[in-house]
Short mmCIF file of all heavy atoms in Angstrom, two decimals:
data_model
loop_
_atom_site.label_atom_id
_atom_site.label_comp_id
_atom_site.label_asym_id
_atom_site.label_seq_id
_atom_site.Cartn_x
_atom_site.Cartn_y
_atom_site.Cartn_z
N ALA A 974 18.76 13.43 -15.48
CA ALA A 974 19.60 14.15 -16.44
C ALA A 974 20.64 13.20 -17.03
O ALA A 974 20.90 13.23 -18.25
CB ALA A 974 20.29 15.33 -15.76
N ALA A 975 21.23 12.36 -16.19
CA ALA A 975 22.22 11.39 -16.69
C ALA A 975 21.60 10.46 -17.72
O ALA A 975 22.19 10.22 -18.79
CB ALA A 975 22.81 10.60 -15.53
N PHE A 978 21.02 12.39 -21.02
CA PHE A 978 22.26 12.60 -21.77
C PHE A 978 22.76 11.30 -22.39
O PHE A 978 23.22 11.28 -23.54
CB PHE A 978 23.35 13.21 -20.88
CG PHE A 978 23.26 14.70 -20.75
CD1 PHE A 978 22.75 15.28 -19.61
CD2 PHE A 978 23.69 15.51 -21.79
CE1 PHE A 978 22.68 16.65 -19.49
CE2 PHE A 978 23.62 16.90 -21.68
CZ PHE A 978 23.11 17.47 -20.54
N LEU A 979 22.68 10.20 -21.63
CA LEU A 979 23.13 8.91 -22.16
C LEU A 979 22.28 8.48 -23.36
O LEU A 979 22.83 8.02 -24.37
CB LEU A 979 23.09 7.83 -21.07
CG LEU A 979 24.13 7.98 -19.94
CD1 LEU A 979 23.83 7.01 -18.82
CD2 LEU A 979 25.53 7.78 -20.47
N GLY A 1003 29.15 14.98 -31.41
CA GLY A 1003 28.14 15.50 -30.48
C GLY A 1003 27.55 14.39 -29.62
O GLY A 1003 27.36 14.56 -28.41
N GLY A 1004 27.28 13.24 -30.25
CA GLY A 1004 26.75 12.10 -29.49
C GLY A 1004 27.72 11.62 -28.43
O GLY A 1004 27.33 11.34 -27.29
N LEU A 1005 29.02 11.54 -28.81
CA LEU A 1005 30.04 11.12 -27.83
C LEU A 1005 30.16 12.13 -26.70
O LEU A 1005 30.32 11.76 -25.53
CB LEU A 1005 31.39 10.94 -28.53
CG LEU A 1005 31.56 9.66 -29.33
CD1 LEU A 1005 32.88 9.68 -30.08
CD2 LEU A 1005 31.47 8.45 -28.43
N ALA A 1006 30.07 13.42 -27.03
CA ALA A 1006 30.16 14.46 -26.01
C ALA A 1006 28.99 14.35 -25.03
O ALA A 1006 29.18 14.38 -23.80
CB ALA A 1006 30.18 15.84 -26.66
N LEU A 1007 27.76 14.20 -25.55
CA LEU A 1007 26.60 14.07 -24.66
C LEU A 1007 26.67 12.78 -23.83
O LEU A 1007 26.33 12.78 -22.65
CB LEU A 1007 25.30 14.10 -25.48
CG LEU A 1007 24.95 15.46 -26.11
CD1 LEU A 1007 23.69 15.32 -26.97
CD2 LEU A 1007 24.75 16.51 -25.04
N PHE A 1008 27.12 11.71 -24.45
CA PHE A 1008 27.26 10.45 -23.73
C PHE A 1008 28.29 10.60 -22.60
O PHE A 1008 28.07 10.13 -21.49
CB PHE A 1008 27.69 9.33 -24.70
CG PHE A 1008 27.60 7.96 -24.11
CD1 PHE A 1008 26.40 7.28 -24.08
CD2 PHE A 1008 28.73 7.34 -23.58
CE1 PHE A 1008 26.31 6.01 -23.53
CE2 PHE A 1008 28.65 6.07 -23.01
CZ PHE A 1008 27.43 5.40 -23.01
N SER A 1009 29.39 11.29 -22.88
CA SER A 1009 30.43 11.53 -21.87
C SER A 1009 29.89 12.37 -20.71
O SER A 1009 30.19 12.12 -19.55
CB SER A 1009 31.64 12.23 -22.49
OG SER A 1009 32.20 11.41 -23.49
N ILE A 1010 29.10 13.38 -21.06
CA ILE A 1010 28.47 14.21 -20.01
C ILE A 1010 27.56 13.34 -19.16
O ILE A 1010 27.54 13.45 -17.93
CB ILE A 1010 27.71 15.40 -20.63
CG1 ILE A 1010 28.69 16.39 -21.26
CG2 ILE A 1010 26.83 16.09 -19.59
CD1 ILE A 1010 28.03 17.47 -22.08
N GLY A 1011 26.80 12.43 -19.79
CA GLY A 1011 25.93 11.51 -19.05
C GLY A 1011 26.72 10.64 -18.09
O GLY A 1011 26.32 10.43 -16.94
N ILE A 1012 27.87 10.12 -18.54
CA ILE A 1012 28.72 9.30 -17.67
C ILE A 1012 29.23 10.13 -16.49
O ILE A 1012 29.24 9.66 -15.35
CB ILE A 1012 29.93 8.72 -18.48
CG1 ILE A 1012 29.44 7.74 -19.54
CG2 ILE A 1012 30.95 8.07 -17.55
CD1 ILE A 1012 28.89 6.45 -19.01
N ALA A 1013 29.65 11.36 -16.75
CA ALA A 1013 30.13 12.24 -15.68
C ALA A 1013 29.02 12.51 -14.66
O ALA A 1013 29.26 12.48 -13.45
CB ALA A 1013 30.65 13.55 -16.27
N ILE A 1014 27.82 12.75 -15.15
CA ILE A 1014 26.69 13.00 -14.23
C ILE A 1014 26.40 11.75 -13.41
O ILE A 1014 26.05 11.84 -12.23
CB ILE A 1014 25.45 13.50 -15.00
CG1 ILE A 1014 25.71 14.88 -15.60
CG2 ILE A 1014 24.23 13.55 -14.10
CD1 ILE A 1014 24.61 15.39 -16.51
N CYS A 1015 26.55 10.57 -14.01
CA CYS A 1015 26.36 9.32 -13.26
C CYS A 1015 27.34 9.26 -12.08
O CYS A 1015 26.97 8.89 -10.97
CB CYS A 1015 26.56 8.10 -14.16
SG CYS A 1015 25.19 7.75 -15.25
N GLY A 1016 28.59 9.62 -12.34
CA GLY A 1016 29.60 9.62 -11.28
C GLY A 1016 29.27 10.62 -10.18
O GLY A 1016 29.38 10.31 -8.99
N ILE A 1017 28.85 11.81 -10.59
CA ILE A 1017 28.46 12.84 -9.62
C ILE A 1017 27.26 12.36 -8.80
O ILE A 1017 27.22 12.51 -7.58
CB ILE A 1017 28.15 14.18 -10.34
CG1 ILE A 1017 29.43 14.75 -10.94
CG2 ILE A 1017 27.50 15.17 -9.39
CD1 ILE A 1017 29.20 15.90 -11.90
#
Side-chain angles (χ1 to χ4, degrees):
F978 277 103
L979 291 170
L1005 283 174
L1007 290 176
F1008 191 82
S1009 298
I1010 292 171
I1012 294 291
I1014 293 174
C1015 284
I1017 293 168

